[in-house]
């Protein structure tokens, strides 16, 4: 029975472009666009700060000249977008409205959304790390489980800051296809996420199958791909390591590893958030509060909620919709430094997903085995089912079927760093994770009650313990 999986559901919004309908297209929808806009509002507890001068201003002016030439925008705050004010609005989240509705214009806008903020944030990293302007930008990563300059790490790495992720509309692991070259996400026949890097992945319908690309949050493993749904929350940055990483990240990293680095608690009170509205009445609300609880204790709380109406419509029941989103995500981080040589990092993560699963698109019926009198009625019903059209939103499923997920995830982790001497560090990472899921799905793409999987229960519980001794001896770093 040839089927094609309907293109992935519309993902998170961009600050400059309407919601892309399907993740794997890497661009904007080719049909059903009527000039709808997407608005994003972002706030933080502190102002943007003074404008930079010198080389930074020259770079900003050059980027703005390129940006304004490709992307004609106007501001909803009714003032012109010059080099300085327009760039500041781009970074710090005032509202924008698009001019026109042509696909070419929108594609240019999406490209600008990806290029300009990343350039600006790279320049900010240069200033924050105190790098000499003659040396260029310094980006610190932990790809080898120690803080290093990205330029000195002998491997292929894509590092994206948290601000760049927000600007690009990355709200879950699947959205990394927008910003990470060579990364791909697809959904298995029964809804299991399949992550791959440079074409290396492991396609299996079982939620308990070990992946070829493993994800981590602050070096705490998410050993199964189904656990990655809530990893993109209040991040400082994400590092995508390409190629085999078995030496430091274990056997399930043949294709690579993804390390999500959460924003840590701060030594002063901070709060902020984002609010996004997009197509299909999609709302994405996210916020955080961070600050000290004592001289040696600090905490950070982040919460995210996503909701959306259905985006797929039925071939046989045009008014019937599928694809509602209902996702709640939260994280608590506590940092404690009881002594000068000991630091503890405690983390609690949890999310629950009540979104509807995605229906397949039926093309035609081709029996894999000979039809018998007992199966004739199935063949007749399948051959009479209308195929889905060229519109990626069109699919079909059983009337009245409840296709809502019932997925929940919990994780507790504790990291301890003890300085045994000036050159030797002992690190312990302890973690417990539990995933409980039930994702009903209609995999035949027709209204005939043939292959409806009403229940697909999954329960995975894991415990991990890592002990790591690292240090330096002259010019040699060891672990």
């Amino acid at each position: 029975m040839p089927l094609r999986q309907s293109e992935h559901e519309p993902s998170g919004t961009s600050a400059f472009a309407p919601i892309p309908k399907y993740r794997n297209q890497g661009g904007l929808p080719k049909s059903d666009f009527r000039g709808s806009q997407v608005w994003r509002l972002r706030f933080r507890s502190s102002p943007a700060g003074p404008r930079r001068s010198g080389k930074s201003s020259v770079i900003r002016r050059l980027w703005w000249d390129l940006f304004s030439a490709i992307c004609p925008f106007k501001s909803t705050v009714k003032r012109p977008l010059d080099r300085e004010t327009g760039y500041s609005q781009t970074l710090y989240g005032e509202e924008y409205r698009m001019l026109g509705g042509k696909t070419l214009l929108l594609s240019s806008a999406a490209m600008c959304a990806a290029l300009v903020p990343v350039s600006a944030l790279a320049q900010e990293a240069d200033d924050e790390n105190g790098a000499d302007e003659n040396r260029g930008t310094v980006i610190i990563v932990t790809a080898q489980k120690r803080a290093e300059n990205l330029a000195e790490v002998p491997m292929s790495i894509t590092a994206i800051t948290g601000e760049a992720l927000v600007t690009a509309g990355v709200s879950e692991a699947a959205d990394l296809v927008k910003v990470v070259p060579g990364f791909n996400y697809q959904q298995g026949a029964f809804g299991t996420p399949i992550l791959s890097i440079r074409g290396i992945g492991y396609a299996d319908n079982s939620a308990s199958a070990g992946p070829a690309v493993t994800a981590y949050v602050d070096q705490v493993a998410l050993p199964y791909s189904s656990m990655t749904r809530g990893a993109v929350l209040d991040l400082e940055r994400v590092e995508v390591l390409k190629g085999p990483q078995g030496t430091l990240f274990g056997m399930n990293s043949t294709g690579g590893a993804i390390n999500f680095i959460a924003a840590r608690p701060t030594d002063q009170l901070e709060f902020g958030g984002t609010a996004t509205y997009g197509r299909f009445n999609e709302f994405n609300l996210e916020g955080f509060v961070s600050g000290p609880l004592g001289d040696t204790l600090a905490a950070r709380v982040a919460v995210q909620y996503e909701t959306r109406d259905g985006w797929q419509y039925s071939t046989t029941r045009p008014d019937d919709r599928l694809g509602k989103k209902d996702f709640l995500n939260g994280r608590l981080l506590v940092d404690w430094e009881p002594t000068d040589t000991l630091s503890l990092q405690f983390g609690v993560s949890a999310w629950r997903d009540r979104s509807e699963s995605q229906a397949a698109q039926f093309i035609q019926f081709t029996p894999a085995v000979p039809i018998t009198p007992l199966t004739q009625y199935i063949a007749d019903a399948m051959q009479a089912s209308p195929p889905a059209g060229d519109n990626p939103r069109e699919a079909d499923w059983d009337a009245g079927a409840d296709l809502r997920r019932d997925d929940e995830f919990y994780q507790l982790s504790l990291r301890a760093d003890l300085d045994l001497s000036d050159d030797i560090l002992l690190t312990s990472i302890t973690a417990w994770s539990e995933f409980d899921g039930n994702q009903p799905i209609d995999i035949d793409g027709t209204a005939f009650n043939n292959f409806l999987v009403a229940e697909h229960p999954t329960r995975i519980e894991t415990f991990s313990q890592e002990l790591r001794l690292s240090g330096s001896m002259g010019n040699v770093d060891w672990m």
Side-chain angles (χ1 to χ4, degrees):
M1 182 196 308
L3 295 173
R4 65 171 180 265
Q5 184 68 25
S6 175
E7 297 287 350
H8 289 295
E9 60 184 281
S11 58
T13 57
S14 164
F16 301 98
I19 306 172
K21 283 171 31 181
Y22 321 108
R23 292 193 183 100
N24 282 350
Q25 283 186 341
L28 298 165
K30 298 180 180 179
S31 61
D32 290 338
F33 176 70
R34 297 295 182 267
S36 60
Q37 291 88 24
V38 168
W39 291 270
R40 180 184 298 279
L41 178 64
R42 191 184 331 170
F43 69 93
R44 295 184 66 90
S45 60
S46 56
R51 303 191 188 282
R52 297 177 176 83
S53 58
K55 180 179 177 181
S56 175
S57 297
V58 173
I59 294 175
R60 293 173 69 168
R61 285 195 295 270
L62 290 175
W63 272 108
W64 181 251
D65 289 339
L66 175 62
F67 178 82
S68 58
I70 299 177
C71 310
F73 292 100
K74 68 179 180 180
S75 172
T76 60
V77 294
K78 307 300 182 184
R79 63 173 181 263
L81 302 184
D82 58 21
R83 289 171 176 162
E84 292 296 328
T85 61
Y87 199 86
S88 176
Q89 291 163 3
T90 299
L91 278 179
Y92 299 109
E94 293 193 33
E95 297 179 350
Y96 282 83
R97 180 175 299 155
M98 214 126 45
L99 296 177
K102 295 183 179 179
T103 302
L104 178 60
L105 171 63
L106 296 178
S107 297
S108 300
M111 179 182 69
C112 293
L115 291 180
V116 177
V118 172
S119 171
L121 293 169
Q123 184 63 43
E124 289 184 352
D126 183 62
D127 294 333
E128 292 172 359
N129 288 285
D132 188 288
E133 289 187 347
N134 294 327
R135 290 189 301 156
T137 300
V138 173
I139 301 176
I140 302 301
V141 297
T142 55
Q144 299 188 107
K145 298 193 175 182
R146 59 165 60 93
E148 297 175 290
N149 185 345
L150 175 61
E152 298 176 356
V153 180
M155 65 177 67
S156 178
I157 304 173
T158 299
I160 310 104
T161 64
E163 289 285 337
L165 293 172
V166 172
T167 303
V170 177
S171 61
E172 57 181 292
D175 294 333
L176 290 176
V177 297
K178 302 176 182 178
V179 294
V180 179
F183 174 80
N184 188 48
Y185 170 94
Q186 63 182 3
Q187 182 175 289
F190 293 95
T192 304
I194 301 172
L195 311 180
S196 63
I197 295 178
R198 292 174 170 174
I200 304 299
Y202 184 65
D204 195 295
N205 293 328
S206 173
S208 60
V213 176
T214 302
Y216 297 79
V217 176
D218 292 335
Q219 300 185 24
V220 177
L222 300 173
Y224 300 98
S225 299
S226 298
M227 299 178 175
T228 62
R229 175 68 173 89
V232 182
L233 171 63
D234 190 31
L235 296 181
E236 176 184 323
R237 68 183 183 278
V238 61
E239 300 169 4
V240 180
L241 286 58
K242 302 176 182 179
Q245 306 296 326
T247 302
L248 294 177
F249 290 93
M251 64 178 183
N252 291 336
S253 55
T254 307
I258 306 172
N259 197 10
F260 299 93
I261 292 88
R264 302 306 307 176
T266 54
D267 57 4
Q268 60 182 1
L269 179 62
E270 291 185 7
F271 60 91
T274 61
T276 302
Y277 174 77
R279 196 177 181 193
F280 306 107
N281 288 324
E282 179 167 7
F283 288 92
N284 189 338
L285 305 176
E286 182 176 333
F288 75 91
V289 178
S290 176
L293 300 178
D295 293 338
T296 61
L297 189 66
R300 188 183 187 102
V301 178
V303 178
Q304 176 190 25
Y305 179 65
E306 297 179 355
T307 181
R308 186 191 62 219
D309 293 339
W311 65 278
Q312 287 187 303
Y313 66 85
S314 169
T315 301
T316 57
R317 307 176 305 280
D319 293 332
D320 201 356
R321 294 291 184 268
L322 183 69
K324 292 181 180 179
K325 180 186 289 187
D326 181 6
F327 179 71
L328 181 63
N329 190 15
R331 178 186 295 139
L332 168 65
L333 300 177
V334 179
D335 289 357
W336 184 34
E337 296 184 4
T339 68
D340 293 338
T341 59
L342 176 64
S343 64
L344 302 173
Q345 297 179 353
F346 176 70
V348 179
S349 298
W351 56 260
R352 64 107 174 123
D353 193 357
R354 299 292 186 270
S355 307
E356 292 179 333
S357 61
Q358 183 177 312
Q361 290 182 302
F362 175 72
I363 300 176
Q364 68 179 24
F365 175 70
T366 302
V369 296
I371 297 174
T372 67
L374 294 177
T375 60
Q376 184 63 51
Y377 77 101
I378 298 178
D380 294 341
M382 297 299 292
Q383 290 171 349
S385 299
D390 293 332
N391 190 332
R393 291 182 56 200
E394 182 180 348
D396 218 345
W397 57 94
D398 295 357
D402 186 359
L403 299 178
R404 288 178 299 174
R405 297 183 178 95
D406 187 11
D407 297 347
E408 295 180 351
F409 173 74
Y410 308 93
Q411 185 176 74
L412 302 177
S413 65
L414 176 64
R415 172 172 176 158
D417 290 296
L418 177 63
D419 292 320
L420 301 180
S421 69
D422 292 340
D423 298 322
I424 300 178
L425 175 67
L426 176 64
T427 300
S428 170
I429 301 178
T430 308
W432 169 85
S433 305
E434 180 179 318
F435 173 79
D436 293 300
N438 184 27
Q439 182 173 331
I441 190 169
D442 193 348
I443 63 175
D444 62 357
T446 72
F448 177 60
N449 189 0
N450 185 26
F451 290 105
L452 173 65
V453 181
E455 292 189 5
H456 188 209
T458 302
R459 179 180 175 86
I460 304 174
E461 187 172 348
T462 66
F463 175 83
S464 63
Q465 173 63 58
E466 177 181 353
L467 285 176
R468 188 167 71 229
L469 193 64
S470 60
S472 60
M473 186 182 300
N475 295 326
V476 178
D477 295 327
W478 56 270
M479 182 178 298

